Amino acid sequence: MKYQLKLKHLIAGNWVGGSESFKSSPSSGSSHSFPVGTNELVDQAVKDAEKAFITYSQTSRQDRANFLRVIAEEIDALGDAITAIAGEETGLPSARLEGERGRTCGQLRMFSDVLEKGDYLDCRHDVALPERTPLPRPELRLMQLPVGPIAVFGASNFPLAFSTAGGDTASALAAGCPVVVKAHQAHPGTSDLVAQAIESAIHRTGMPGGVFSMVHGGSRLVGEALVKHPLISAVGFTGSLAGGRALFDLCAQRPIPIPFFGELGSVNPMFILPGAAAERGEEIGRGWAASLTMGAGQFCTNPGIIVVIEGESADKLVDAAKVALAGAAPQTMLTDGIAVAYKEGQKRVSHTSGVRSILTSKCDGRQA
Amino acid sequence: MKYQLKLKHLIAGNWVGGSESFKSSPSSGSSHSFPVGTNELVDQAVKDAEKAFITYSQTSRQDRANFLRVIAEEIDALGDAITAIAGEETGLPSARLEGERGRTCGQLRMFSDVLEKGDYLDCRHDVALPERTPLPRPELRLMQLPVGPIAVFGASNFPLAFSTAGGDTASALAAGCPVVVKAHQAHPGTSDLVAQAIESAIHRTGMPGGVFSMVHGGSRLVGEALVKHPLISAVGFTGSLAGGRALFDLCAQRPIPIPFFGELGSVNPMFILPGAAAERGEEIGRGWAASLTMGAGQFCTNPGIIVVIEGESADKLVDAAKVALAGAAPQTMLTDGIAVAYKEGQKRVSHTSGVRSILTSKCDGRQA
């Protein structure tokens, strides 16, 4: 592997270590030590982001489009190295991670195109009407402007497309806003390599160092400090409803509230109408099972609950789903914590009266 | 006056009284008794709004544009009657209120035009790409949809343009959302007449009664109950920073948070650069005084603080402002509460060390 892990935070162009550290918990391969994030590092990263904002917000759309394309180039260049470490850390299969890398670079390039078109600026120009009665109208101009440094939280289930250089980072950088990423501690090595790619792009395009920083986690205070920092202007988050709600509340409670852009999970209930159940119940059952087990059931689109009217059609649907689920191979959970939560969920459901268990999979470590 | 006050709440087409009442405090003319709003009435109004939402959200844009134009027609028809009662209640001069009526009807007609253009829907249609690799793209369609019943709070300083049928109500109705207005208790009679105009428009265009309700205040629990009602989907508010912040916090703390669209006041600091002060200090001083006293200084754009570098130019600016302010005639404050706050503010400033008083106006009742 031609890329070396830095095993440090990236603060405005400098790789910074720390006294405290935490160990990564990969599903395979060796564990590494990463420094724990601190309030001081968050403060430094955000202050450097604010400094960079002064110049970065004034760069041309063409320069920013070029910057995003070079980031994509650098991530593409990580090639098998990023697939290898992301696979070790998350247990996701290589094909999925290669697809996700393509998506990540595709997003970055898409935002370059958006920048070049420029219609997102929503420019409006109402000319003055000095003769208007009862009052003259002054000239009015409106366009979208970048707001300031943005905090981005990486997602456990999308180590690339919704993490360090994912959609939130790409859109913020496109808009002219510096980004401070809180790396997800489930894949600190993946975050490390992607941060190196962004750092290279900053050097190659002459952007200010403060335009991107990444602070590792290891302490839940890191995320809180980031969201509460007075110079942070908005937050991008992908993750659980509980975690998202806690950060949303911090955003809303600030002396000056800021927007929280969250993509949170759901049980995604599905309602099967009688006609559909009668006509293609078995097909729906098989399809539902396939969607349920996709990515070890850790997608936020996981269809956790299916509602169907009792009867022959429902039985056929359930049987088809059961057969399909029984044939599904075990998969690796993204983190130890998710694997434990899965086992606890199984236990809870099996002890709930009125619930009849149709199929239960065996769990072993992070496998389920 | 050809219009009679109803002296009641308007709940989905029915004029409803109540056991408790409060007296209006007009700056001139006679006081009237209005019923105090209750949690039960708020609940009824919002539930009726939700019922109306089912059909109203499905009306055509042309039908809604027509509805808004008929509301404007009915408000125009109120003519001198609305100027008379709004003038008594708020103390605002007739010319200002006539201008505001024009603005209110202009806003309603502007939203009709917006509806007919339809580009606010932001329609997008990405065709399916079944051959795309690694995964086919499904067909994607996007457009803006109405969200549900909206709570609107009337403003004390704009009894027409930012109140019962003001910009918030016009935009919500245009979008396909029913509205529940909390009438401002500084101008309950004005709200009463405008609600009658909307009621007439509902009858003339065959809209469902629940599309508009108005609950009088008289208790601060009314506004809270409205914002916390689980069927309310967004809040429009124009008023003080403190009041707006309290309602924003209620919106954010709900189990399902909702957007708060607030237009709040500010001290609007102005910074005079040395060149401008030297070149046209006196002109700026006179202009600042005119803006400060416009609408008895109760506009949210009131330039409360002017920052200028000490010296000869600053002295000229201050002197010009002082002369202009000394020549300003007394004006009526919007409410007794604002008049009291003004006097308390004068006292506070005069007791602040380091502050040199240049000019103090005398206050008498609601005059200042």
Side-chain angles (χ1 to χ4, degrees):
Chain A
M1 166 165 144
K2 106 186 200 226
Y3 291 87
Q4 288 280 317
L5 292 176
K6 295 277 187 180
L7 304 173
K8 290 183 176 174
H9 311 284
L10 172 60
I11 311 290
N14 301 308
W15 293 96
V16 181
S19 48
E20 235 192 308
S21 65
F22 72 95
K23 288 244 166 210
S24 64
S25 313
S27 73
S28 65
S30 42
S31 172
H32 302 281
S33 272
F34 292 88
V36 171
T38 64
N39 285 1
E40 289 68 33
L41 282 166
V42 166
D43 184 54
Q44 166 110 49
V46 177
K47 281 182 179 156
D48 286 337
E50 177 72 11
K51 252 183 249 162
F53 179 61
I54 296 167
T55 50
Y56 186 65
S57 63
Q58 300 296 318
T59 52
S60 71
R61 290 184 282 127
Q62 190 53 64
D63 283 349
R64 295 207 296 279
N66 182 44
F67 176 41
L68 292 181
R69 288 209 181 90
V70 174
I71 295 176
E73 244 179 71
E74 292 285 338
I75 291 174
D76 270 339
L78 291 171
D80 292 344
I82 194 78
T83 302
I85 186 125
E88 288 180 9
E89 292 188 319
T90 63
L92 290 170
S94 296
R96 154 72 200 273
L97 289 168
E98 279 159 19
E100 205 185 311
R101 192 178 79 228
R103 178 171 174 176
T104 307
C105 296
Q107 287 170 172
L108 286 158
R109 293 184 175 111
M110 186 196 74
F111 278 108
S112 295
D113 296 344
V114 168
L115 275 169
E116 282 167 3
K117 271 177 78 184
D119 54 359
Y120 74 95
L121 290 166
D122 196 16
C123 288
R124 298 187 212 181
H125 182 194
D126 293 349
V127 293
L129 298 176
E131 312 299 329
R132 191 180 71 167
T133 53
L135 284 173
R137 182 176 83 184
E139 186 186 20
L140 295 170
R141 289 171 187 242
L142 179 143
M143 70 179 272
Q144 304 292 328
L145 292 173
V147 291
I150 309 296
V152 172
F153 287 75
S156 67
N157 62 344
F158 279 89
L160 295 167
F162 292 108
S163 288
T164 313
D168 290 336
T169 297
S171 57
L173 291 177
C177 300
V179 169
V180 179
V181 163
K182 194 228 142 227
H184 200 292
Q185 65 206 67
H187 47 72
T190 308
S191 307
D192 182 320
L193 287 195
V194 175
Q196 291 186 43
I198 299 176
E199 193 209 1
S200 298
I202 288 173
H203 278 296
R204 281 176 56 192
T205 58
M207 290 294 172
V211 81
F212 178 84
S213 290
M214 180 195 66
V215 183
H216 283 291
S219 153
R220 66 175 303 233
L221 299 176
V222 179
E224 270 190 42
L226 192 52
V227 169
K228 289 163 89 169
H229 198 293
L231 294 174
I232 285 292
S233 298
V235 174
F237 173 88
T238 303
S240 70
L241 181 60
R245 176 77 209 208
L247 295 180
F248 168 84
D249 287 344
L250 289 179
C251 288
Q253 286 157 11
R254 290 166 50 119
I256 297 172
I258 56 172
F260 174 80
F261 299 97
E263 184 173 350
L264 316 182
S266 163
V267 291
N268 303 307
M270 288 179 65
F271 299 86
I272 310 300
L273 299 182
E279 220 174 87
R280 48 193 176 90
E282 293 179 43
E283 185 191 335
I284 292 173
R286 278 193 300 274
W288 180 72
S291 185
L292 191 73
T293 54
M294 190 168 65
Q298 296 164 122
F299 277 102
C300 54
T301 51
N302 182 325
I305 289 178
I306 189 165
V307 178
V308 59
I309 295 167
E310 279 185 304
E312 202 188 318
S313 311
D315 291 343
K316 279 190 183 168
L317 188 156
V318 171
D319 287 343
K322 186 177 163 180
V323 170
L325 288 171
Q331 295 179 65
T332 309
M333 296 305 223
L334 284 162
T335 67
D336 296 336
I338 292 176
V340 168
Y342 180 79
K343 277 173 221 164
E344 281 172 0
Q346 274 192 337
K347 209 183 288 175
R348 202 167 54 243
V349 168
S350 70
H351 287 95
T352 305
S353 68
V355 169
R356 184 161 54 91
S357 183
I358 294 184
L359 186 81
T360 309
S361 67
K362 286 201 192 78
C363 308
D364 182 20
R366 258 164 79 173
Q367 298 284 305
Chain B
M1 166 166 144
K2 106 186 202 227
Y3 292 87
Q4 288 280 318
L5 291 176
K6 296 277 189 181
L7 304 173
K8 290 183 174 174
H9 312 284
L10 172 60
I11 310 291
N14 301 306
W15 293 96
V16 181
S19 49
E20 235 191 308
S21 65
F22 72 96
K23 289 244 166 213
S24 63
S25 314
S27 73
S28 64
S30 44
S31 170
H32 302 280
S33 271
F34 292 87
V36 171
T38 63
N39 285 1
E40 290 68 32
L41 282 165
V42 166
D43 185 53
Q44 167 110 48
V46 177
K47 281 182 178 154
D48 286 337
E50 177 72 11
K51 252 183 248 161
F53 179 61
I54 296 168
T55 51
Y56 186 65
S57 63
Q58 299 296 317
T59 51
S60 71
R61 289 185 281 126
Q62 190 54 62
D63 283 349
R64 294 206 297 279
N66 183 44
F67 176 41
L68 293 180
R69 287 208 181 90
V70 175
I71 295 176
E73 245 178 69
E74 292 286 338
I75 292 174
D76 270 339
L78 292 172
D80 292 344
I82 193 79
T83 302
I85 186 125
E88 288 180 8
E89 293 188 319
T90 62
L92 290 170
S94 296
R96 156 70 200 274
L97 289 168
E98 278 159 21
E100 205 184 309
R101 191 177 80 228
R103 178 170 173 176
T104 306
C105 296
Q107 285 170 171
L108 285 158
R109 293 184 175 111
M110 186 196 75
F111 278 109
S112 295
D113 296 344
V114 169
L115 275 168
E116 282 167 2
K117 272 176 78 183
D119 54 359
Y120 74 94
L121 290 166
D122 196 16
C123 289
R124 300 188 210 180
H125 183 194
D126 292 349
V127 294
L129 297 176
E131 312 298 329
R132 190 181 70 168
T133 51
L135 284 173
R137 182 176 82 183
E139 187 186 18
L140 295 170
R141 290 173 187 241
L142 178 143
M143 69 179 274
Q144 304 293 327
L145 291 173
V147 291
I150 308 297
V152 172
F153 287 75
S156 67
N157 62 344
F158 278 89
L160 296 167
F162 292 108
S163 288
T164 313
D168 290 336
T169 297
S171 58
L173 291 178
C177 300
V179 169
V180 179
V181 163
K182 194 232 142 220
H184 200 291
Q185 64 206 68
H187 48 72
T190 310
S191 307
D192 184 320
L193 287 195
V194 174
Q196 291 186 43
I198 300 176
E199 193 209 1
S200 299
I202 289 174
H203 278 296
R204 283 177 55 192
T205 58
M207 291 293 172
V211 80
F212 178 83
S213 291
M214 180 195 65
V215 183
H216 283 291
S219 152
R220 66 176 302 234
L221 298 175
V222 178
E224 269 189 43
L226 192 52
V227 170
K228 288 163 89 168
H229 198 293
L231 293 175
I232 285 292
S233 298
V235 174
F237 172 88
T238 303
S240 70
L241 181 60
R245 177 75 208 212
L247 294 181
F248 168 85
D249 287 344
L250 289 179
C251 287
Q253 285 157 11
R254 289 165 50 118
I256 298 172
I258 56 173
F260 174 80
F261 299 97
E263 184 174 351
L264 315 182
S266 164
V267 292
N268 303 306
M270 289 179 64
F271 298 87
I272 311 300
L273 299 183
E279 220 174 87
R280 48 192 176 91
E282 293 178 41
E283 185 191 336
I284 292 173
R286 279 192 301 274
W288 179 72
S291 185
L292 191 73
T293 55
M294 189 167 67
Q298 297 164 122
F299 278 102
C300 53
T301 51
N302 182 326
I305 290 178
I306 189 164
V307 179
V308 58
I309 295 166
E310 279 185 303
E312 202 189 317
S313 312
D315 291 343
K316 280 189 183 167
L317 188 156
V318 171
D319 288 342
K322 188 178 161 181
V323 170
L325 287 172
Q331 295 179 64
T332 309
M333 298 304 225
L334 284 162
T335 68
D336 297 336
I338 292 177
V340 168
Y342 180 78
K343 279 172 221 164
E344 280 173 2
Q346 273 192 336
K347 209 183 291 175
R348 203 169 52 244
V349 168
S350 71
H351 289 94
T352 306
S353 68
V355 170
R356 185 163 51 94
S357 184
I358 293 183
L359 186 81
T360 308
S361 67
K362 286 200 191 80
C363 308
D364 181 22
R366 256 164 82 173
Q367 297 285 307

PDB file of all heavy atoms in Angstrom, chain A residues 73-98:
ATOM      1  N   GLU A  73      -9.904  13.776  -8.106  1.00  0.00           N
ATOM      2  CA  GLU A  73      -8.729  13.129  -8.716  1.00  0.00           C
ATOM      3  C   GLU A  73      -7.875  12.448  -7.649  1.00  0.00           C
ATOM      4  O   GLU A  73      -7.423  11.315  -7.816  1.00  0.00           O
ATOM      5  CB  GLU A  73      -7.871  14.220  -9.365  1.00  0.00           C
ATOM      6  CG  GLU A  73      -7.733  14.142 -10.863  1.00  0.00           C
ATOM      7  CD  GLU A  73      -6.878  15.317 -11.335  1.00  0.00           C
ATOM      8  OE1 GLU A  73      -5.640  15.330 -11.077  1.00  0.00           O
ATOM      9  OE2 GLU A  73      -7.477  16.225 -11.928  1.00  0.00           O
ATOM     10  N   GLU A  74      -7.643  13.174  -6.555  1.00  0.00           N
ATOM     11  CA  GLU A  74      -6.783  12.655  -5.481  1.00  0.00           C
ATOM     12  C   GLU A  74      -7.432  11.448  -4.788  1.00  0.00           C
ATOM     13  O   GLU A  74      -6.746  10.518  -4.375  1.00  0.00           O
ATOM     14  CB  GLU A  74      -6.479  13.757  -4.459  1.00  0.00           C
ATOM     15  CG  GLU A  74      -5.586  14.881  -4.988  1.00  0.00           C
ATOM     16  CD  GLU A  74      -4.119  14.446  -5.111  1.00  0.00           C
ATOM     17  OE1 GLU A  74      -3.721  13.474  -4.431  1.00  0.00           O
ATOM     18  OE2 GLU A  74      -3.387  15.073  -5.904  1.00  0.00           O
ATOM     19  N   ILE A  75      -8.757  11.481  -4.662  1.00  0.00           N
ATOM     20  CA  ILE A  75      -9.443  10.339  -4.025  1.00  0.00           C
ATOM     21  C   ILE A  75      -9.413   9.140  -4.980  1.00  0.00           C
ATOM     22  O   ILE A  75      -9.176   8.004  -4.560  1.00  0.00           O
ATOM     23  CB  ILE A  75     -10.884  10.715  -3.621  1.00  0.00           C
ATOM     24  CG1 ILE A  75     -10.833  11.724  -2.471  1.00  0.00           C
ATOM     25  CG2 ILE A  75     -11.668   9.466  -3.187  1.00  0.00           C
ATOM     26  CD1 ILE A  75     -12.192  12.283  -2.064  1.00  0.00           C
ATOM     27  N   ASP A  76      -9.622   9.401  -6.262  1.00  0.00           N
ATOM     28  CA  ASP A  76      -9.504   8.314  -7.247  1.00  0.00           C
ATOM     29  C   ASP A  76      -8.110   7.683  -7.171  1.00  0.00           C
ATOM     30  O   ASP A  76      -7.960   6.467  -7.279  1.00  0.00           O
ATOM     31  CB  ASP A  76      -9.756   8.853  -8.665  1.00  0.00           C
ATOM     32  CG  ASP A  76     -11.234   8.786  -9.055  1.00  0.00           C
ATOM     33  OD1 ASP A  76     -11.974   7.989  -8.431  1.00  0.00           O
ATOM     34  OD2 ASP A  76     -11.645   9.518  -9.976  1.00  0.00           O
ATOM     35  N   ALA A  77      -7.094   8.534  -6.976  1.00  0.00           N
ATOM     36  CA  ALA A  77      -5.713   8.045  -6.943  1.00  0.00           C
ATOM     37  C   ALA A  77      -5.451   7.159  -5.723  1.00  0.00           C
ATOM     38  O   ALA A  77      -4.504   6.368  -5.713  1.00  0.00           O
ATOM     39  CB  ALA A  77      -4.734   9.220  -6.964  1.00  0.00           C
ATOM     40  N   LEU A  78      -6.273   7.280  -4.687  1.00  0.00           N
ATOM     41  CA  LEU A  78      -6.101   6.417  -3.505  1.00  0.00           C
ATOM     42  C   LEU A  78      -6.395   4.962  -3.867  1.00  0.00           C
ATOM     43  O   LEU A  78      -5.900   4.034  -3.214  1.00  0.00           O
ATOM     44  CB  LEU A  78      -7.032   6.855  -2.364  1.00  0.00           C
ATOM     45  CG  LEU A  78      -6.746   8.187  -1.681  1.00  0.00           C
ATOM     46  CD1 LEU A  78      -7.892   8.563  -0.745  1.00  0.00           C
ATOM     47  CD2 LEU A  78      -5.439   8.132  -0.895  1.00  0.00           C
ATOM     48  N   GLY A  79      -7.245   4.772  -4.890  1.00  0.00           N
ATOM     49  CA  GLY A  79      -7.520   3.461  -5.472  1.00  0.00           C
ATOM     50  C   GLY A  79      -7.719   2.349  -4.466  1.00  0.00           C
ATOM     51  O   GLY A  79      -8.523   2.457  -3.533  1.00  0.00           O
ATOM     52  N   ASP A  80      -6.967   1.248  -4.647  1.00  0.00           N
ATOM     53  CA  ASP A  80      -7.139   0.068  -3.808  1.00  0.00           C
ATOM     54  C   ASP A  80      -6.812   0.327  -2.340  1.00  0.00           C
ATOM     55  O   ASP A  80      -7.328  -0.355  -1.458  1.00  0.00           O
ATOM     56  CB  ASP A  80      -6.239  -1.069  -4.318  1.00  0.00           C
ATOM     57  CG  ASP A  80      -6.712  -1.575  -5.672  1.00  0.00           C
ATOM     58  OD1 ASP A  80      -7.876  -1.272  -6.036  1.00  0.00           O
ATOM     59  OD2 ASP A  80      -5.931  -2.255  -6.359  1.00  0.00           O
ATOM     60  N   ALA A  81      -5.962   1.325  -2.084  1.00  0.00           N
ATOM     61  CA  ALA A  81      -5.573   1.603  -0.687  1.00  0.00           C
ATOM     62  C   ALA A  81      -6.789   1.993   0.142  1.00  0.00           C
ATOM     63  O   ALA A  81      -6.962   1.539   1.278  1.00  0.00           O
ATOM     64  CB  ALA A  81      -4.523   2.716  -0.643  1.00  0.00           C
ATOM     65  N   ILE A  82      -7.656   2.835  -0.429  1.00  0.00           N
ATOM     66  CA  ILE A  82      -8.822   3.290   0.336  1.00  0.00           C
ATOM     67  C   ILE A  82      -9.833   2.150   0.477  1.00  0.00           C
ATOM     68  O   ILE A  82     -10.468   2.000   1.528  1.00  0.00           O
ATOM     69  CB  ILE A  82      -9.446   4.573  -0.297  1.00  0.00           C
ATOM     70  CG1 ILE A  82     -10.436   5.239   0.659  1.00  0.00           C
ATOM     71  CG2 ILE A  82     -10.136   4.297  -1.614  1.00  0.00           C
ATOM     72  CD1 ILE A  82      -9.797   6.029   1.746  1.00  0.00           C
ATOM     73  N   THR A  83      -9.960   1.336  -0.568  1.00  0.00           N
ATOM     74  CA  THR A  83     -10.869   0.187  -0.469  1.00  0.00           C
ATOM     75  C   THR A  83     -10.387  -0.769   0.610  1.00  0.00           C
ATOM     76  O   THR A  83     -11.185  -1.310   1.390  1.00  0.00           O
ATOM     77  CB  THR A  83     -10.954  -0.539  -1.822  1.00  0.00           C
ATOM     78  OG1 THR A  83     -11.393   0.396  -2.811  1.00  0.00           O
ATOM     79  CG2 THR A  83     -11.926  -1.698  -1.774  1.00  0.00           C
ATOM     80  N   ALA A  84      -9.064  -0.969   0.671  1.00  0.00           N
ATOM     81  CA  ALA A  84      -8.495  -1.910   1.637  1.00  0.00           C
ATOM     82  C   ALA A  84      -8.762  -1.458   3.069  1.00  0.00           C
ATOM     83  O   ALA A  84      -9.313  -2.214   3.882  1.00  0.00           O
ATOM     84  CB  ALA A  84      -6.985  -2.067   1.400  1.00  0.00           C
ATOM     85  N   ILE A  85      -8.426  -0.221   3.390  1.00  0.00           N
ATOM     86  CA  ILE A  85      -8.585   0.207   4.790  1.00  0.00           C
ATOM     87  C   ILE A  85     -10.054   0.369   5.158  1.00  0.00           C
ATOM     88  O   ILE A  85     -10.481   0.008   6.261  1.00  0.00           O
ATOM     89  CB  ILE A  85      -7.765   1.478   5.126  1.00  0.00           C
ATOM     90  CG1 ILE A  85      -7.857   1.788   6.633  1.00  0.00           C
ATOM     91  CG2 ILE A  85      -8.267   2.704   4.384  1.00  0.00           C
ATOM     92  CD1 ILE A  85      -6.575   1.900   7.320  1.00  0.00           C
ATOM     93  N   ALA A  86     -10.861   0.878   4.212  1.00  0.00           N
ATOM     94  CA  ALA A  86     -12.292   1.030   4.512  1.00  0.00           C
ATOM     95  C   ALA A  86     -12.926  -0.345   4.705  1.00  0.00           C
ATOM     96  O   ALA A  86     -13.790  -0.519   5.570  1.00  0.00           O
ATOM     97  CB  ALA A  86     -12.985   1.809   3.403  1.00  0.00           C
ATOM     98  N   GLY A  87     -12.480  -1.332   3.928  1.00  0.00           N
ATOM     99  CA  GLY A  87     -13.002  -2.699   4.067  1.00  0.00           C
ATOM    100  C   GLY A  87     -12.630  -3.298   5.415  1.00  0.00           C
ATOM    101  O   GLY A  87     -13.462  -3.926   6.085  1.00  0.00           O
ATOM    102  N   GLU A  88     -11.390  -3.098   5.832  1.00  0.00           N
ATOM    103  CA  GLU A  88     -10.967  -3.608   7.148  1.00  0.00           C
ATOM    104  C   GLU A  88     -11.783  -2.955   8.256  1.00  0.00           C
ATOM    105  O   GLU A  88     -12.257  -3.617   9.184  1.00  0.00           O
ATOM    106  CB  GLU A  88      -9.479  -3.304   7.384  1.00  0.00           C
ATOM    107  CG  GLU A  88      -8.538  -4.163   6.541  1.00  0.00           C
ATOM    108  CD  GLU A  88      -7.074  -3.827   6.817  1.00  0.00           C
ATOM    109  OE1 GLU A  88      -6.793  -3.058   7.773  1.00  0.00           O
ATOM    110  OE2 GLU A  88      -6.205  -4.336   6.076  1.00  0.00           O
ATOM    111  N   GLU A  89     -11.936  -1.635   8.173  1.00  0.00           N
ATOM    112  CA  GLU A  89     -12.571  -0.908   9.273  1.00  0.00           C
ATOM    113  C   GLU A  89     -14.070  -1.166   9.373  1.00  0.00           C
ATOM    114  O   GLU A  89     -14.626  -1.255  10.473  1.00  0.00           O
ATOM    115  CB  GLU A  89     -12.311   0.603   9.131  1.00  0.00           C
ATOM    116  CG  GLU A  89     -10.833   0.953   9.345  1.00  0.00           C
ATOM    117  CD  GLU A  89     -10.571   2.450   9.400  1.00  0.00           C
ATOM    118  OE1 GLU A  89     -11.162   3.201   8.598  1.00  0.00           O
ATOM    119  OE2 GLU A  89      -9.760   2.873  10.244  1.00  0.00           O
ATOM    120  N   THR A  90     -14.741  -1.255   8.215  1.00  0.00           N
ATOM    121  CA  THR A  90     -16.212  -1.329   8.246  1.00  0.00           C
ATOM    122  C   THR A  90     -16.757  -2.723   7.962  1.00  0.00           C
ATOM    123  O   THR A  90     -17.920  -2.988   8.242  1.00  0.00           O
ATOM    124  CB  THR A  90     -16.814  -0.394   7.184  1.00  0.00           C
ATOM    125  OG1 THR A  90     -16.388  -0.856   5.888  1.00  0.00           O
ATOM    126  CG2 THR A  90     -16.366   1.044   7.387  1.00  0.00           C
ATOM    127  N   GLY A  91     -15.954  -3.594   7.348  1.00  0.00           N
ATOM    128  CA  GLY A  91     -16.458  -4.897   6.951  1.00  0.00           C
ATOM    129  C   GLY A  91     -17.300  -4.842   5.681  1.00  0.00           C
ATOM    130  O   GLY A  91     -17.841  -5.875   5.256  1.00  0.00           O
ATOM    131  N   LEU A  92     -17.429  -3.681   5.064  1.00  0.00           N
ATOM    132  CA  LEU A  92     -18.194  -3.596   3.821  1.00  0.00           C
ATOM    133  C   LEU A  92     -17.400  -4.254   2.696  1.00  0.00           C
ATOM    134  O   LEU A  92     -16.169  -4.175   2.658  1.00  0.00           O
ATOM    135  CB  LEU A  92     -18.489  -2.128   3.468  1.00  0.00           C
ATOM    136  CG  LEU A  92     -19.500  -1.398   4.375  1.00  0.00           C
ATOM    137  CD1 LEU A  92     -19.506   0.097   4.073  1.00  0.00           C
ATOM    138  CD2 LEU A  92     -20.896  -1.982   4.218  1.00  0.00           C
ATOM    139  N   PRO A  93     -18.088  -4.946   1.756  1.00  0.00           N
ATOM    140  CA  PRO A  93     -17.374  -5.638   0.671  1.00  0.00           C
ATOM    141  C   PRO A  93     -16.713  -4.653  -0.305  1.00  0.00           C
ATOM    142  O   PRO A  93     -17.154  -3.514  -0.432  1.00  0.00           O
ATOM    143  CB  PRO A  93     -18.481  -6.442  -0.017  1.00  0.00           C
ATOM    144  CG  PRO A  93     -19.776  -5.828   0.408  1.00  0.00           C
ATOM    145  CD  PRO A  93     -19.538  -5.164   1.723  1.00  0.00           C
ATOM    146  N   SER A  94     -15.682  -5.116  -0.991  1.00  0.00           N
ATOM    147  CA  SER A  94     -14.904  -4.256  -1.889  1.00  0.00           C
ATOM    148  C   SER A  94     -15.756  -3.622  -2.979  1.00  0.00           C
ATOM    149  O   SER A  94     -15.604  -2.436  -3.292  1.00  0.00           O
ATOM    150  CB  SER A  94     -13.782  -5.064  -2.556  1.00  0.00           C
ATOM    151  OG  SER A  94     -12.884  -5.503  -1.575  1.00  0.00           O
ATOM    152  N   ALA A  95     -16.671  -4.427  -3.572  1.00  0.00           N
ATOM    153  CA  ALA A  95     -17.478  -3.898  -4.679  1.00  0.00           C
ATOM    154  C   ALA A  95     -18.291  -2.697  -4.191  1.00  0.00           C
ATOM    155  O   ALA A  95     -18.390  -1.677  -4.870  1.00  0.00           O
ATOM    156  CB  ALA A  95     -18.414  -4.980  -5.214  1.00  0.00           C
ATOM    157  N   ARG A  96     -18.858  -2.819  -2.989  1.00  0.00           N
ATOM    158  CA  ARG A  96     -19.640  -1.730  -2.433  1.00  0.00           C
ATOM    159  C   ARG A  96     -18.759  -0.497  -2.227  1.00  0.00           C
ATOM    160  O   ARG A  96     -19.141   0.633  -2.546  1.00  0.00           O
ATOM    161  CB  ARG A  96     -20.275  -2.200  -1.117  1.00  0.00           C
ATOM    162  CG  ARG A  96     -20.603  -1.168  -0.087  1.00  0.00           C
ATOM    163  CD  ARG A  96     -21.803  -0.292  -0.468  1.00  0.00           C
ATOM    164  NE  ARG A  96     -21.763   0.956   0.303  1.00  0.00           N
ATOM    165  CZ  ARG A  96     -22.281   1.108   1.508  1.00  0.00           C
ATOM    166  NH1 ARG A  96     -22.943   0.100   2.062  1.00  0.00           N
ATOM    167  NH2 ARG A  96     -22.175   2.253   2.149  1.00  0.00           N
ATOM    168  N   LEU A  97     -17.545  -0.706  -1.704  1.00  0.00           N
ATOM    169  CA  LEU A  97     -16.671   0.431  -1.419  1.00  0.00           C
ATOM    170  C   LEU A  97     -16.156   1.083  -2.699  1.00  0.00           C
ATOM    171  O   LEU A  97     -15.987   2.303  -2.757  1.00  0.00           O
ATOM    172  CB  LEU A  97     -15.507  -0.007  -0.527  1.00  0.00           C
ATOM    173  CG  LEU A  97     -15.939  -0.330   0.910  1.00  0.00           C
ATOM    174  CD1 LEU A  97     -14.814  -1.040   1.661  1.00  0.00           C
ATOM    175  CD2 LEU A  97     -16.350   0.942   1.642  1.00  0.00           C
ATOM    176  N   GLU A  98     -15.924   0.251  -3.735  1.00  0.00           N
ATOM    177  CA  GLU A  98     -15.500   0.837  -5.010  1.00  0.00           C
ATOM    178  C   GLU A  98     -16.632   1.677  -5.607  1.00  0.00           C
ATOM    179  O   GLU A  98     -16.392   2.767  -6.144  1.00  0.00           O
ATOM    180  CB  GLU A  98     -15.058  -0.258  -5.985  1.00  0.00           C
ATOM    181  CG  GLU A  98     -13.628  -0.712  -5.686  1.00  0.00           C
ATOM    182  CD  GLU A  98     -13.288  -2.086  -6.244  1.00  0.00           C
ATOM    183  OE1 GLU A  98     -14.006  -2.559  -7.153  1.00  0.00           O
ATOM    184  OE2 GLU A  98     -12.319  -2.695  -5.741  1.00  0.00           O
TER     185      GLU A  98
END
